[in-house]
Amino acid sequence: MENHRRGIRVTGGNVDFDVKFTNGAIVENVSQSAVSMFPPLPWPEAISYGNGILQADNTTFNNVNRMVEFMSWSSLPNHSFVEHCTQNGGRIGISNWNCIGIEVKDNVFNDISENSIVTETGTFIIEGNEFHSGQNDILFANVSPGLPSNILENQFYGDDAGVRAIGTTVGAINIELNQFQTGEFDIFMDGENEYMIDRNDFTSDFGIVSINNGSQSNDVSLNDFEGNYVGVMPVGDNNGYIFYENCFSTTFADAWIDGTVNTIILNPDDIYAANNCFTHGGNYYGSVYDMTGNPEQFTYIEPLDKIVDCRDPILAHSNISLAYAPANDSPCGIAGSGFPDPPTHFNPCKPQISITNLIRAIKTLNSSIEEIQNDPNLTEEQKEYFISFYKRCLKRVYRWLYVEYIKDKRFVEARQLLDGDNSDAAFIAIFASYIFENKFDDAKNYLLNLPNDREKMIDFKTIQLINLKRIKSGKYYVSNPEEINIVETIARKTHNYAGFAKALYYHLTGKVISSEIPVFENRQIKPRNIEKTKIPKMYIFPNPVSDELNINIENVDNARLIITDITGKEIFNKDISKNLILNTSLWNAGIYFVSIKTGQNETLNDKILIIH
């Protein structure tokens, strides 16, 4: 199929599928989405459409602006899949608004100028793919809390980051058994986020960066860090963060910690020593820091033995206290390589995900807490120590059960799980449940009754009130400059709820605001990442537009901007060298096509919708 303007629009309705590509199909030269599920209708008529089903297998997409744009007006299961396909060129690969369970497997994304996969609230099973992106291979940008995705056995080669999250999920994103060889950051978790990062290979300058992820129970375990400048980097508020049984071979620091992590770092599954295998390998004269930075006080549990090996911190910051516990037989922690299989026995901290298993895990954990409380052989300090980890597991399992109730449309039961929990995380999850239920008025009323006692909660409410206006119109929402400035101001703050604003700013402008990592003073070894070729970029916002259109360009010299209407008539043609604002108040309503021809003999294309 070849179409120089539009692809296929799907409004949904069939049980099996609405669109099917197979048997070596080729889709080429589509300036919009090859497949889009956004109906060309205003709210509320549009709510009756969407959630169409695409089956794409063994198909090649050449020079399409976006491969597919999944969309559902409420969070609904969707049986679409994209398998064994190749996308060559384009701005975005696959985006997902509210569709649950989209399968993206065994595909290759080549020369994607921005992000290969983008999600807002919707979820994916992303498995066995190869990503080559100009920005981020996967971008999670949930303005209101979304549901978690599974990311398994992929190869990441993105110029900026492999996986970047600037919004949050209720329930942990699972990132497992992937290979990362990205330009700068393999994983960058920015703002309130929940995740489990397990058994991956990391090789970029910065393996895993976690900035202000909050109090979520976040585990980084059994990963291999090879050649990184820094392996793990928790920065700011990461009160639920632990890392254990990882293998490090870095050039500057295995762990750079700036701020808070969990008060105790160990293997939480059976209360073992942390068992990370540090770069020094037991050599007292190594030059790479085990754990450094500017950490708040925490306790690291090393093995209870008299042997000095890779599992023992040697070059660690003075704010890190050491304690001792038995070490399990992790092949990573001793041999320095190899990923053990997950345990086959029932583990209440990491049960197989089903409502039955999660309820069983909650009962088991509560029973364990009660036993510890009543154990006369334990001191009060020991009781507090053990109970803190069982409660940590309990909090995570409750959130997983919440997710399963939401998927099953048992919204009242999801909210009942959080009764009596006065934490911010519980408030935010309850608020999100009303959005999942499509009860926007109830969501707004609940939001307005949340406390105004802290700056970050006031900012959260500000962003979500804007989002509740936007969410009804989807991508057709028209923002104004004042609103965008408010969002940007909050997005540049350093608290953990700034991530919600970062996500909204992305959806309003197409630009990612990233938190800054610390500056490393007096370092003798610098990150190996050299200056990359600057890729020309164009950002257009707001879109749709009524009166003023912002066109921002980056890494572009001697460019010519051409805008044509749907008939091909030129409306604007001018050389530009900087960002500009166009007055569109006198232009006719409708679709216009924007092209920037650069001095590098590249053409950037996009479209705008003008409404009055």
Side-chain angles (χ1 to χ4, degrees):
M1 181 185 79
E2 184 172 347
N3 187 321
H4 292 281
R5 292 300 185 191
R6 299 170 182 260
I8 297 173
R9 190 181 296 276
V10 181
T11 54
N14 294 308
V15 176
D16 46 4
F17 63 88
D18 295 290
V19 176
K20 187 171 187 176
F21 296 122
T22 190
N23 296 329
I26 298 175
V27 182
E28 293 184 321
N29 304 324
V30 179
S31 63
Q32 301 179 37
S33 298
V35 178
S36 177
M37 296 179 184
F38 276 94
L41 297 169
W43 183 273
E45 290 88 342
I47 199 170
S48 300
Y49 299 90
N51 206 40
I53 299 175
L54 167 70
Q55 295 181 358
D57 184 18
N58 190 28
T59 298
T60 301
F61 296 84
N62 294 324
N63 190 32
V64 298
N65 186 52
R66 187 186 314 235
M67 183 198 296
V68 56
E69 191 173 38
F70 290 106
M71 168 268 168
S72 173
W73 289 106
S74 59
S75 296
L76 292 174
N78 186 294
H79 304 296
S80 295
F81 62 78
V82 179
E83 297 180 354
H84 308 103
C85 295
T86 301
Q87 181 179 355
N88 297 310
R91 186 167 64 91
I92 291 176
I94 298 172
S95 59
N96 183 1
W97 176 300
N98 276 345
C99 294
I100 305 300
I102 302 294
E103 292 190 3
V104 180
K105 295 183 177 181
D106 301 312
N107 305 286
V108 178
F109 296 84
N110 287 319
D111 299 321
I112 308 302
S113 64
E114 294 184 12
N115 311 295
S116 291
I117 293 181
V118 179
T119 184
E120 179 177 1
T121 310
T123 74
F124 288 103
I125 300 170
I126 303 170
E127 185 176 336
N129 303 282
E130 183 178 319
F131 297 103
H132 301 265
S133 309
Q135 295 180 13
N136 309 288
D137 290 327
I138 298 175
L139 176 65
F140 291 108
N142 301 320
V143 184
S144 60
L147 300 178
S149 294
N150 288 314
I151 304 172
L152 309 169
E153 298 182 341
N154 302 279
Q155 298 178 59
F156 293 93
Y157 300 96
D159 282 358
D160 187 5
V163 177
R164 183 185 292 273
I166 54 177
T168 191
T169 57
V170 182
I173 301 169
N174 183 41
I175 304 175
E176 185 177 354
L177 292 169
N178 301 280
Q179 294 184 331
F180 291 86
Q181 300 180 49
T182 61
E184 189 166 10
F185 307 103
D186 286 332
I187 294 178
F188 198 122
M189 294 295 183
D190 199 348
E192 188 83 4
N193 271 292
E194 188 168 359
Y195 50 83
M196 296 182 68
I197 302 175
D198 184 44
R199 297 186 293 166
N200 303 277
D201 288 327
F202 296 106
T203 64
S204 75
D205 285 340
F206 299 93
I208 304 172
V209 176
S210 306
I211 300 185
N212 290 314
N213 292 166
S215 60
Q216 311 298 345
S217 301
N218 291 329
D219 290 13
V220 175
S221 60
L222 292 163
N223 302 286
D224 192 15
F225 296 87
E226 180 69 35
N228 316 88
Y229 180 69
V230 174
V232 297
M233 181 184 285
V235 176
D237 174 15
N238 298 280
N239 285 324
Y241 180 99
I242 61 175
F243 63 104
Y244 57 95
E245 295 191 351
N246 300 283
C247 287
F248 294 100
S249 179
T250 69
T251 61
F252 177 68
D254 295 337
W256 174 279
I257 302 166
D258 190 344
T260 60
V261 293
N262 203 72
T263 54
I264 303 173
I265 300 294
L266 48 60
N267 179 338
D269 295 342
D270 296 297
I271 319 296
Y272 283 126
N275 230 44
N276 291 294
C277 186
F278 295 109
T279 298
H280 62 67
N283 177 9
Y284 276 103
Y285 304 102
S287 60
V288 175
Y289 291 102
D290 305 329
M291 295 176 286
T292 187
N294 301 289
E296 296 293 326
Q297 184 72 40
F298 71 90
T299 299
Y300 183 88
I301 308 300
E302 64 172 300
L304 181 62
D305 58 31
K306 296 182 180 180
I307 302 171
V308 176
D309 58 24
C310 71
R311 299 170 298 171
D312 298 291
I314 293 175
L315 290 171
H317 194 279
S318 59
N319 282 355
I320 302 172
S321 301
L322 299 179
Y324 305 92
N328 65 359
D329 295 325
S330 166
C332 188
I334 295 296
S337 64
F339 299 133
D341 293 329
T344 56
H345 65 278
F346 179 75
N347 181 348
C349 282
K350 296 178 182 177
Q352 293 293 315
I353 302 298
S354 72
I355 289 176
T356 300
N357 279 341
L358 293 169
I359 291 174
R360 177 188 172 192
I362 289 171
K363 292 179 179 178
T364 302
L365 289 167
N366 279 323
S367 177
S368 296
I369 291 172
E370 185 177 357
E371 288 177 9
I372 292 169
Q373 288 172 333
N374 297 326
D375 190 336
N377 298 315
L378 296 176
T379 66
E380 291 302 316
E381 184 179 19
Q382 289 173 321
K383 290 180 181 180
E384 182 180 358
Y385 170 76
F386 288 116
I387 288 174
S388 67
F389 270 92
Y390 283 122
K391 285 185 174 179
R392 183 180 184 274
C393 291
L394 196 59
K395 179 170 67 173
R396 179 166 58 198
V397 173
Y398 266 113
R399 291 172 72 83
W400 283 343
L401 183 56
Y402 167 99
V403 169
E404 295 308 300
Y405 281 151
I406 293 294
K407 289 180 180 179
D408 210 27
K409 297 190 175 298
R410 295 160 65 173
F411 302 108
V412 173
E413 289 171 271
R415 288 189 281 272
Q416 288 173 342
L417 283 175
L418 304 170
D419 282 350
D421 186 342
N422 293 319
S423 67
D424 282 356
F427 293 152
I428 291 171
I430 291 172
F431 165 74
S433 73
Y434 290 114
I435 295 180
F436 290 130
E437 198 174 0
N438 263 14
K439 290 186 174 180
F440 301 128
D441 290 339
D442 289 348
K444 182 176 181 180
N445 291 334
Y446 183 82
L447 183 70
L448 292 173
N449 286 313
L450 290 178
N452 286 324
D453 55 342
R454 284 158 299 141
E455 178 187 10
K456 71 177 188 178
M457 184 56 76
I458 294 171
D459 289 342
F460 172 77
K461 294 169 74 170
T462 299
I463 292 302
Q464 297 307 329
L465 286 171
I466 296 172
N467 189 46
L468 285 170
K469 291 191 299 179
R470 179 191 74 104
I471 205 168
K472 293 182 178 180
S473 303
K475 69 174 185 177
Y476 304 116
Y477 177 72
V478 180
S479 188
N480 57 61
E482 180 182 2
E483 195 171 66
I484 291 174
N485 287 337
I486 291 171
V487 175
E488 181 177 3
T489 298
I490 297 174
R492 295 191 183 280
K493 293 186 178 183
T494 57
H495 59 66
N496 50 318
Y497 296 164
F500 296 108
K502 287 179 172 69
L504 181 55
Y505 188 77
Y506 170 77
H507 290 295
L508 294 178
T509 69
K511 299 180 73 173
V512 174
I513 293 176
S514 178
S515 295
E516 295 184 1
I517 64 173
V519 175
F520 298 93
E521 300 291 346
N522 301 320
R523 60 189 182 198
Q524 295 182 353
I525 306 173
K526 295 183 179 181
R528 69 179 186 280
N529 190 41
I530 60 174
E531 183 71 14
K532 298 184 289 290
T533 302
K534 298 296 185 180
I535 299 173
K537 299 174 184 176
M538 171 174 61
Y539 302 98
I540 299 176
F541 61 93
N543 189 11
V545 61
S546 177
D547 300 319
E548 287 189 347
L549 179 69
N550 294 268
I551 299 180
N552 290 2
I553 56 174
E554 293 180 1
N555 310 322
V556 173
D557 297 316
N558 304 318
R560 175 165 288 272
L561 172 64
I562 302 171
I563 301 177
T564 59
D565 66 15
I566 200 167
T567 68
K569 178 183 176 181
E570 272 192 10
I571 306 299
F572 187 91
N573 188 327
K574 185 178 179 181
D575 288 333
I576 60 172
S577 59
K578 59 182 180 180
N579 303 332
L580 75 159
I581 300 175
L582 295 179
N583 187 329
T584 58
S585 61
L586 299 179
W587 294 17
N588 293 330
I591 295 175
Y592 293 77
F593 299 96
V594 181
S595 295
I596 288 184
K597 299 184 181 298
T598 75
Q600 295 96 321
N601 295 318
E602 294 189 51
T603 301
L604 308 177
N605 297 304
D606 210 334
K607 68 178 177 66
I608 58 173
L609 175 65
I610 294 181
I611 59 177
H612 297 301

